[in-house]
Short mmCIF file of all heavy atoms in Angstrom, two decimals:
data_model
loop_
_atom_site.label_atom_id
_atom_site.label_comp_id
_atom_site.label_asym_id
_atom_site.label_seq_id
_atom_site.Cartn_x
_atom_site.Cartn_y
_atom_site.Cartn_z
N MET A 1 42.66 60.57 128.96
CA MET A 1 42.10 59.34 129.48
C MET A 1 42.09 59.32 130.98
O MET A 1 41.12 58.84 131.58
CB MET A 1 42.88 58.15 128.91
CG MET A 1 42.30 56.82 129.24
SD MET A 1 40.70 56.72 128.40
CE MET A 1 40.54 54.98 128.27
N LYS A 2 43.17 59.86 131.59
CA LYS A 2 43.21 59.92 133.04
C LYS A 2 42.13 60.84 133.58
O LYS A 2 41.59 60.59 134.64
CB LYS A 2 44.61 60.37 133.50
CG LYS A 2 45.68 59.35 133.25
CD LYS A 2 47.02 59.85 133.74
CE LYS A 2 48.11 58.84 133.42
NZ LYS A 2 49.42 59.33 133.91
N ARG A 3 41.85 61.93 132.88
CA ARG A 3 40.84 62.87 133.36
C ARG A 3 39.44 62.23 133.37
O ARG A 3 38.65 62.47 134.25
CB ARG A 3 40.82 64.12 132.47
CG ARG A 3 42.02 64.99 132.65
CD ARG A 3 41.92 66.19 131.83
NE ARG A 3 43.18 66.95 131.90
CZ ARG A 3 43.40 68.07 131.29
NH1 ARG A 3 42.47 68.60 130.53
NH2 ARG A 3 44.56 68.67 131.42
N ILE A 4 39.17 61.40 132.35
CA ILE A 4 37.87 60.73 132.29
C ILE A 4 37.73 59.77 133.45
O ILE A 4 36.68 59.68 134.13
CB ILE A 4 37.69 60.00 130.93
CG1 ILE A 4 37.61 61.00 129.81
CG2 ILE A 4 36.44 59.11 130.96
CD1 ILE A 4 37.58 60.40 128.46
N PHE A 5 38.81 59.04 133.77
CA PHE A 5 38.76 58.08 134.89
C PHE A 5 38.58 58.83 136.22
O PHE A 5 37.81 58.42 137.07
CB PHE A 5 40.06 57.27 134.91
CG PHE A 5 40.09 56.29 136.05
CD1 PHE A 5 39.29 55.19 136.07
CD2 PHE A 5 40.96 56.54 137.13
CE1 PHE A 5 39.31 54.32 137.15
CE2 PHE A 5 40.98 55.66 138.20
CZ PHE A 5 40.16 54.56 138.20
N LEU A 6 39.28 59.96 136.34
CA LEU A 6 39.17 60.73 137.58
C LEU A 6 37.74 61.32 137.73
O LEU A 6 37.16 61.36 138.81
CB LEU A 6 40.20 61.86 137.62
CG LEU A 6 41.63 61.43 137.89
CD1 LEU A 6 42.58 62.60 137.74
CD2 LEU A 6 41.77 60.81 139.24
N LEU A 7 37.19 61.76 136.61
CA LEU A 7 35.83 62.31 136.64
C LEU A 7 34.83 61.20 137.02
O LEU A 7 33.92 61.44 137.84
CB LEU A 7 35.48 62.90 135.27
CG LEU A 7 34.10 63.50 135.16
CD1 LEU A 7 33.98 64.69 136.09
CD2 LEU A 7 33.80 63.90 133.73
N ALA A 8 34.97 60.03 136.45
CA ALA A 8 34.07 58.91 136.76
C ALA A 8 34.22 58.46 138.19
O ALA A 8 33.26 58.07 138.82
CB ALA A 8 34.32 57.77 135.79
N ALA A 9 35.46 58.50 138.72
CA ALA A 9 35.68 58.06 140.05
C ALA A 9 35.17 59.04 141.07
O ALA A 9 34.82 58.66 142.21
CB ALA A 9 37.16 57.82 140.27
N THR A 10 35.06 60.30 140.76
CA THR A 10 34.61 61.30 141.72
C THR A 10 33.12 61.60 141.62
O THR A 10 32.60 62.44 142.35
CB THR A 10 35.38 62.63 141.51
OG1 THR A 10 35.19 63.07 140.18
CG2 THR A 10 36.87 62.42 141.78
N LEU A 11 32.38 60.94 140.72
CA LEU A 11 30.94 61.15 140.64
C LEU A 11 30.26 60.62 141.88
O LEU A 11 30.66 59.61 142.44
CB LEU A 11 30.35 60.42 139.41
CG LEU A 11 30.61 61.04 138.05
CD1 LEU A 11 30.07 60.15 136.96
CD2 LEU A 11 29.98 62.39 137.96
N PRO A 12 29.25 61.31 142.36
CA PRO A 12 28.55 60.82 143.53
C PRO A 12 27.80 59.54 143.20
O PRO A 12 27.40 59.30 142.09
CB PRO A 12 27.60 61.97 143.90
CG PRO A 12 27.46 62.74 142.64
CD PRO A 12 28.77 62.57 141.88
N VAL A 13 27.59 58.74 144.21
CA VAL A 13 26.94 57.44 144.03
C VAL A 13 25.50 57.56 143.52
O VAL A 13 25.09 56.77 142.68
CB VAL A 13 27.00 56.62 145.36
CG1 VAL A 13 26.25 55.31 145.24
CG2 VAL A 13 28.46 56.37 145.78
N PRO A 14 24.69 58.53 143.95
CA PRO A 14 23.30 58.60 143.43
C PRO A 14 23.22 58.92 141.93
O PRO A 14 22.17 58.76 141.34
CB PRO A 14 22.68 59.74 144.22
CG PRO A 14 23.47 59.85 145.45
CD PRO A 14 24.84 59.43 145.08
N ALA A 15 24.34 59.30 141.31
CA ALA A 15 24.31 59.56 139.87
C ALA A 15 24.16 58.28 139.07
O ALA A 15 23.77 58.33 137.91
CB ALA A 15 25.57 60.31 139.46
N PHE A 16 24.44 57.16 139.65
CA PHE A 16 24.33 55.88 138.96
C PHE A 16 22.85 55.44 138.98
O PHE A 16 22.10 55.79 139.85
CB PHE A 16 25.22 54.81 139.57
CG PHE A 16 26.67 55.16 139.49
CD1 PHE A 16 27.39 55.56 140.62
CD2 PHE A 16 27.31 55.11 138.27
CE1 PHE A 16 28.74 55.85 140.48
CE2 PHE A 16 28.65 55.42 138.15
CZ PHE A 16 29.37 55.79 139.26
N ALA A 17 22.45 54.64 137.98
CA ALA A 17 21.06 54.23 137.84
C ALA A 17 20.63 53.32 138.99
O ALA A 17 21.38 52.49 139.47
CB ALA A 17 20.87 53.51 136.52
N ALA A 18 19.37 53.50 139.37
CA ALA A 18 18.80 52.66 140.42
C ALA A 18 18.23 51.40 139.76
O ALA A 18 17.97 51.34 138.57
CB ALA A 18 17.69 53.42 141.15
N GLY A 19 18.00 50.39 140.57
CA GLY A 19 17.42 49.14 140.08
C GLY A 19 15.98 49.32 139.66
O GLY A 19 15.29 50.23 140.11
N PHE A 20 15.54 48.43 138.79
CA PHE A 20 14.16 48.51 138.27
C PHE A 20 13.20 47.98 139.33
O PHE A 20 13.40 46.92 139.89
CB PHE A 20 14.06 47.66 137.02
CG PHE A 20 12.67 47.60 136.45
CD1 PHE A 20 12.11 48.69 135.80
CD2 PHE A 20 11.89 46.45 136.59
CE1 PHE A 20 10.81 48.64 135.33
CE2 PHE A 20 10.62 46.40 136.09
CZ PHE A 20 10.09 47.49 135.43
N GLU A 21 12.14 48.77 139.55
CA GLU A 21 11.08 48.33 140.46
C GLU A 21 9.84 48.05 139.66
O GLU A 21 9.32 48.96 138.99
CB GLU A 21 10.80 49.42 141.51
CG GLU A 21 11.97 49.68 142.45
CD GLU A 21 11.65 50.74 143.49
OE1 GLU A 21 10.48 51.02 143.66
OE2 GLU A 21 12.61 51.23 144.08
N ARG A 22 9.36 46.84 139.73
CA ARG A 22 8.22 46.42 138.93
C ARG A 22 6.94 47.13 139.40
O ARG A 22 6.69 47.21 140.60
CB ARG A 22 8.04 44.93 139.10
CG ARG A 22 6.79 44.37 138.41
CD ARG A 22 6.89 42.94 138.34
NE ARG A 22 7.52 42.71 137.03
CZ ARG A 22 7.58 41.57 136.40
NH1 ARG A 22 7.09 40.49 136.97
NH2 ARG A 22 8.12 41.47 135.23
N PRO A 23 6.18 47.74 138.49
CA PRO A 23 4.96 48.47 138.87
C PRO A 23 3.87 47.48 139.33
O PRO A 23 3.76 46.38 138.80
CB PRO A 23 4.57 49.20 137.61
CG PRO A 23 5.17 48.47 136.50
CD PRO A 23 6.45 47.87 137.06
N ILE A 24 3.08 47.92 140.28
CA ILE A 24 2.00 47.08 140.78
C ILE A 24 0.71 47.51 140.08
O ILE A 24 0.31 48.70 140.18
CB ILE A 24 1.85 47.22 142.29
CG1 ILE A 24 3.15 46.79 142.98
CG2 ILE A 24 0.65 46.43 142.81
CD1 ILE A 24 3.19 47.12 144.48
N PRO A 25 0.03 46.61 139.34
CA PRO A 25 -1.19 47.04 138.66
C PRO A 25 -2.31 47.35 139.63
O PRO A 25 -2.48 46.71 140.66
CB PRO A 25 -1.55 45.81 137.82
CG PRO A 25 -0.82 44.68 138.39
CD PRO A 25 0.37 45.25 139.12
N GLN A 26 -3.06 48.39 139.30
CA GLN A 26 -4.19 48.84 140.15
C GLN A 26 -5.47 48.26 139.62
O GLN A 26 -5.63 48.07 138.43
CB GLN A 26 -4.25 50.38 140.17
CG GLN A 26 -3.01 51.04 140.68
CD GLN A 26 -2.76 50.77 142.14
OE1 GLN A 26 -3.72 50.66 142.91
NE2 GLN A 26 -1.52 50.57 142.51
N PRO A 27 -6.44 47.94 140.49
CA PRO A 27 -7.73 47.46 140.01
C PRO A 27 -8.49 48.54 139.26
O PRO A 27 -8.32 49.73 139.52
CB PRO A 27 -8.46 47.06 141.31
CG PRO A 27 -7.79 47.86 142.37
CD PRO A 27 -6.37 48.05 141.95
N GLN A 28 -9.30 48.08 138.34
CA GLN A 28 -10.09 49.04 137.53
C GLN A 28 -11.28 49.55 138.35
O GLN A 28 -11.99 48.79 139.02
CB GLN A 28 -10.57 48.36 136.27
CG GLN A 28 -10.76 49.31 135.14
CD GLN A 28 -10.83 48.54 133.81
OE1 GLN A 28 -11.00 47.37 133.80
NE2 GLN A 28 -10.74 49.31 132.75
N THR A 29 -11.52 50.86 138.26
CA THR A 29 -12.63 51.46 139.02
C THR A 29 -13.91 51.43 138.19
O THR A 29 -13.90 51.15 136.98
CB THR A 29 -12.29 52.93 139.34
OG1 THR A 29 -12.14 53.62 138.13
CG2 THR A 29 -11.01 53.02 140.15
N ALA A 30 -14.99 51.69 138.87
CA ALA A 30 -16.31 51.68 138.18
C ALA A 30 -16.36 52.84 137.17
O ALA A 30 -16.97 52.71 136.11
CB ALA A 30 -17.42 51.83 139.19
N THR A 31 -15.73 53.93 137.45
CA THR A 31 -15.68 55.09 136.52
C THR A 31 -14.95 54.68 135.24
O THR A 31 -15.38 55.03 134.14
CB THR A 31 -15.02 56.27 137.17
OG1 THR A 31 -15.68 56.55 138.38
CG2 THR A 31 -15.06 57.48 136.27
N ALA A 32 -13.85 53.97 135.40
CA ALA A 32 -13.09 53.55 134.21
C ALA A 32 -13.89 52.55 133.37
O ALA A 32 -13.89 52.60 132.14
CB ALA A 32 -11.80 52.92 134.65
N GLU A 33 -14.62 51.66 134.05
CA GLU A 33 -15.44 50.69 133.29
C GLU A 33 -16.59 51.39 132.57
O GLU A 33 -16.92 51.04 131.43
CB GLU A 33 -15.99 49.64 134.25
CG GLU A 33 -14.93 48.71 134.75
CD GLU A 33 -15.48 47.61 135.65
OE1 GLU A 33 -16.71 47.53 135.78
OE2 GLU A 33 -14.67 46.88 136.22
N LEU A 34 -17.18 52.41 133.20
CA LEU A 34 -18.25 53.18 132.54
C LEU A 34 -17.77 53.93 131.35
O LEU A 34 -18.38 53.92 130.28
CB LEU A 34 -18.89 54.12 133.53
CG LEU A 34 -20.02 54.96 132.98
CD1 LEU A 34 -21.20 54.10 132.53
CD2 LEU A 34 -20.45 56.04 134.00
N SER A 35 -16.60 54.57 131.46
CA SER A 35 -16.05 55.32 130.33
C SER A 35 -15.65 54.37 129.21
O SER A 35 -15.79 54.70 128.01
CB SER A 35 -14.88 56.17 130.76
OG SER A 35 -13.83 55.37 131.26
N PHE A 36 -15.17 53.18 129.55
CA PHE A 36 -14.84 52.19 128.49
C PHE A 36 -16.10 51.71 127.78
O PHE A 36 -16.14 51.53 126.56
CB PHE A 36 -14.12 50.97 129.14
CG PHE A 36 -13.67 49.96 128.15
CD1 PHE A 36 -12.53 50.18 127.41
CD2 PHE A 36 -14.39 48.82 127.89
CE1 PHE A 36 -12.10 49.24 126.46
CE2 PHE A 36 -13.98 47.88 127.00
CZ PHE A 36 -12.84 48.10 126.27
N LEU A 37 -17.20 51.54 128.55
CA LEU A 37 -18.46 51.18 127.92
C LEU A 37 -18.96 52.23 126.98
O LEU A 37 -19.36 51.92 125.83
CB LEU A 37 -19.52 50.91 129.03
CG LEU A 37 -20.93 50.65 128.53
CD1 LEU A 37 -21.03 49.34 127.78
CD2 LEU A 37 -21.91 50.72 129.68
N LEU A 38 -18.90 53.50 127.40
CA LEU A 38 -19.35 54.58 126.53
C LEU A 38 -18.47 54.69 125.29
O LEU A 38 -18.97 54.94 124.20
CB LEU A 38 -19.34 55.89 127.33
CG LEU A 38 -20.40 55.97 128.43
CD1 LEU A 38 -20.24 57.27 129.21
CD2 LEU A 38 -21.78 55.80 127.91
N ALA A 39 -17.18 54.52 125.42
CA ALA A 39 -16.27 54.59 124.28
C ALA A 39 -16.53 53.44 123.32
O ALA A 39 -16.51 53.61 122.10
CB ALA A 39 -14.82 54.58 124.78
N SER A 40 -16.82 52.27 123.85
CA SER A 40 -17.14 51.11 123.01
C SER A 40 -18.43 51.34 122.23
O SER A 40 -18.48 51.02 121.04
CB SER A 40 -17.26 49.84 123.86
OG SER A 40 -16.08 49.56 124.52
N LEU A 41 -19.43 51.89 122.89
CA LEU A 41 -20.71 52.14 122.21
C LEU A 41 -20.50 53.23 121.16
O LEU A 41 -21.07 53.13 120.05
CB LEU A 41 -21.74 52.61 123.22
CG LEU A 41 -22.22 51.51 124.19
CD1 LEU A 41 -23.20 52.08 125.20
CD2 LEU A 41 -22.85 50.35 123.42
N ALA A 42 -19.68 54.21 121.41
CA ALA A 42 -19.41 55.28 120.42
C ALA A 42 -18.66 54.68 119.23
O ALA A 42 -18.97 55.03 118.08
CB ALA A 42 -18.58 56.38 121.05
N LEU A 43 -17.76 53.77 119.46
CA LEU A 43 -17.03 53.13 118.36
C LEU A 43 -17.98 52.31 117.51
O LEU A 43 -17.94 52.31 116.29
CB LEU A 43 -15.90 52.26 118.87
CG LEU A 43 -15.12 51.49 117.84
CD1 LEU A 43 -14.42 52.44 116.88
CD2 LEU A 43 -14.14 50.55 118.49
N ILE A 44 -18.86 51.54 118.13
CA ILE A 44 -19.83 50.73 117.40
C ILE A 44 -20.75 51.63 116.57
O ILE A 44 -21.09 51.34 115.44
CB ILE A 44 -20.60 49.81 118.35
CG1 ILE A 44 -19.68 48.75 118.93
CG2 ILE A 44 -21.80 49.17 117.67
CD1 ILE A 44 -20.27 47.95 120.05
N GLY A 45 -21.20 52.73 117.16
CA GLY A 45 -22.03 53.68 116.44
C GLY A 45 -21.31 54.27 115.25
O GLY A 45 -21.88 54.44 114.16
N ALA A 46 -20.06 54.63 115.42
CA ALA A 46 -19.29 55.19 114.30
C ALA A 46 -19.07 54.17 113.20
O ALA A 46 -19.18 54.51 112.01
CB ALA A 46 -17.92 55.66 114.79
N LEU A 47 -18.84 52.92 113.55
CA LEU A 47 -18.71 51.86 112.55
C LEU A 47 -20.02 51.65 111.79
O LEU A 47 -20.01 51.41 110.58
CB LEU A 47 -18.22 50.55 113.22
CG LEU A 47 -16.79 50.53 113.69
CD1 LEU A 47 -16.51 49.24 114.48
CD2 LEU A 47 -15.84 50.63 112.50
N ALA A 48 -21.12 51.69 112.51
CA ALA A 48 -22.43 51.52 111.87
C ALA A 48 -22.70 52.69 110.90
O ALA A 48 -23.20 52.52 109.79
CB ALA A 48 -23.54 51.48 112.90
N ALA A 49 -22.32 53.92 111.27
CA ALA A 49 -22.52 55.07 110.43
C ALA A 49 -21.67 54.95 109.18
O ALA A 49 -22.11 55.27 108.06
CB ALA A 49 -22.16 56.37 111.17
N VAL A 50 -20.43 54.51 109.33
CA VAL A 50 -19.58 54.33 108.11
C VAL A 50 -20.14 53.24 107.23
O VAL A 50 -20.13 53.39 105.99
CB VAL A 50 -18.13 53.97 108.59
CG1 VAL A 50 -17.28 53.49 107.42
CG2 VAL A 50 -17.47 55.18 109.26
N GLN A 51 -20.65 52.17 107.81
CA GLN A 51 -21.25 51.09 107.01
C GLN A 51 -22.43 51.61 106.21
O GLN A 51 -22.60 51.27 105.02
CB GLN A 51 -21.67 49.95 107.94
CG GLN A 51 -22.30 48.80 107.18
CD GLN A 51 -21.34 48.07 106.26
OE1 GLN A 51 -20.14 48.05 106.53
NE2 GLN A 51 -21.82 47.54 105.18
N MET A 52 -23.27 52.45 106.83
CA MET A 52 -24.38 53.01 106.11
C MET A 52 -23.94 53.91 105.00
O MET A 52 -24.51 53.90 103.93
CB MET A 52 -25.32 53.77 107.09
CG MET A 52 -26.07 52.82 107.99
SD MET A 52 -27.13 53.58 109.29
CE MET A 52 -27.28 55.27 108.87
N LEU A 53 -22.92 54.75 105.25
CA LEU A 53 -22.39 55.62 104.19
C LEU A 53 -21.81 54.86 103.02
O LEU A 53 -21.98 55.24 101.86
CB LEU A 53 -21.37 56.59 104.76
CG LEU A 53 -21.88 57.70 105.67
CD1 LEU A 53 -20.73 58.45 106.32
CD2 LEU A 53 -22.75 58.64 104.88
N VAL A 54 -21.11 53.76 103.32
CA VAL A 54 -20.48 52.94 102.25
C VAL A 54 -21.56 52.24 101.44
O VAL A 54 -21.43 52.12 100.20
CB VAL A 54 -19.47 51.99 102.87
CG1 VAL A 54 -19.02 50.95 101.86
CG2 VAL A 54 -18.29 52.73 103.46
N ASN A 55 -22.62 51.79 102.10
CA ASN A 55 -23.65 51.06 101.36
C ASN A 55 -24.46 51.94 100.43
O ASN A 55 -25.06 51.50 99.46
CB ASN A 55 -24.61 50.37 102.35
CG ASN A 55 -24.05 49.08 102.85
OD1 ASN A 55 -23.17 48.49 102.25
ND2 ASN A 55 -24.59 48.62 103.98
N ARG A 56 -24.49 53.26 100.69
CA ARG A 56 -25.24 54.21 99.82
C ARG A 56 -24.57 54.32 98.44
O ARG A 56 -25.24 54.63 97.48
CB ARG A 56 -25.31 55.55 100.48
CG ARG A 56 -26.28 55.62 101.59
CD ARG A 56 -26.44 57.04 102.08
NE ARG A 56 -27.20 57.06 103.34
CZ ARG A 56 -27.43 58.14 104.00
NH1 ARG A 56 -26.91 59.29 103.60
NH2 ARG A 56 -28.11 58.10 105.11
N ARG A 57 -23.31 54.14 98.39
CA ARG A 57 -22.61 54.31 97.11
C ARG A 57 -22.83 53.11 96.30
O ARG A 57 -23.09 52.52 95.56
CB ARG A 57 -21.11 54.52 97.32
CG ARG A 57 -20.86 55.86 97.91
CD ARG A 57 -19.38 56.07 98.11
NE ARG A 57 -19.17 57.49 98.34
CZ ARG A 57 -18.33 58.24 97.67
NH1 ARG A 57 -17.62 57.75 96.71
NH2 ARG A 57 -18.20 59.50 97.96
#
């Protein structure tokens, strides 16, 4: 038990956890909005294709 206390007492200060720093949100770029638009259109197209396949049965 004494060895554990001595080990903990001799640890350097940076070994302890630092405080939490809240992340700052970044604004969305035009490239991100364009890729989101294309992904949304692809999802809608895939849903329409599935709907057509299900209606054939």
Side-chain angles (χ1 to χ4, degrees):
M1 187 66 156
K2 290 181 183 180
R3 290 183 186 180
I4 294 174
F5 179 71
L6 287 174
L7 181 64
T10 58
L11 284 176
V13 176
F16 297 108
F20 176 74
E21 294 181 16
R22 174 166 270 194
I24 300 171
Q26 300 294 324
Q28 208 164 13
T29 62
T31 305
E33 289 182 7
L34 179 64
S35 62
F36 185 79
L37 173 68
L38 293 176
S40 298
L41 292 175
L43 177 63
I44 291 171
L47 288 173
V50 168
Q51 179 66 30
M52 289 176 13
L53 287 173
V54 168
N55 279 340
R56 285 187 191 176
R57 288 181 167 235

